[in-house]
Amino acid sequence: LPLCNVPPITQFHLIHETLRGKEKIDGYEVYKDRRDDSIVAYARLGKLLSGHPDIIHGGSIAALLDNTMGVAFFAAKVSEND
């Protein structure tokens, strides 16, 4: 099952609302392998996120990376004492 379960309150969220949809972010899933605690993210990006033809806009990539790092942080269960 995906690690990143999107809560029902996602209105105005950049990744889960604004950029989500056909030819934008068509799919976004984050998984944690419990055997080694690795995190893997999968995103399917459409042509409406292009800055130039066939090149995804860097801001879209940065937003996905930022969101995925946040999910990974909470998935790792890092505390202030670690």
Side-chain angles (χ1 to χ4, degrees), residues 3-4 11 17-18 20 27 33 63-64 68 74 78:
L3 174 68
C4 184
Q11 187 177 15
E17 177 65 27
T18 308
R20 190 116 195 180
D33 187 332
L64 277 168
T68 303
F74 287 108
V78 176

Side-chain angles (χ1 to χ4, degrees), residues 1 6 8 11 16 18-19 23-27 30 32 49 53 58 61-63 70 73-74 78 81:
L1 292 175
V6 180
Q11 187 177 15
H16 300 292
T18 308
L19 296 179
E23 296 301 331
K24 294 190 271 184
I25 297 176
D26 287 337
V30 182
K32 177 180 179 179
L49 297 179
I61 295 169
F73 176 81
F74 287 108
V78 176
N81 299 323

Side-chain angles (χ1 to χ4, degrees), residues 25-46:
I25 297 176
D26 287 337
Y28 175 61
E29 299 172 359
V30 182
Y31 299 92
K32 177 180 179 179
D33 187 332
R34 291 188 176 101
R35 296 172 295 182
D36 63 3
D37 289 333
S38 62
I39 303 292
V40 176
Y42 164 79
R44 186 173 52 243
L45 307 176

Side-chain angles (χ1 to χ4, degrees), residues 45 49 55-67:
L45 307 176
L49 297 179
I55 299 174
I56 300 297
H57 191 281
S60 300
I61 295 169
L64 277 168
L65 181 59
D66 178 64
N67 194 77

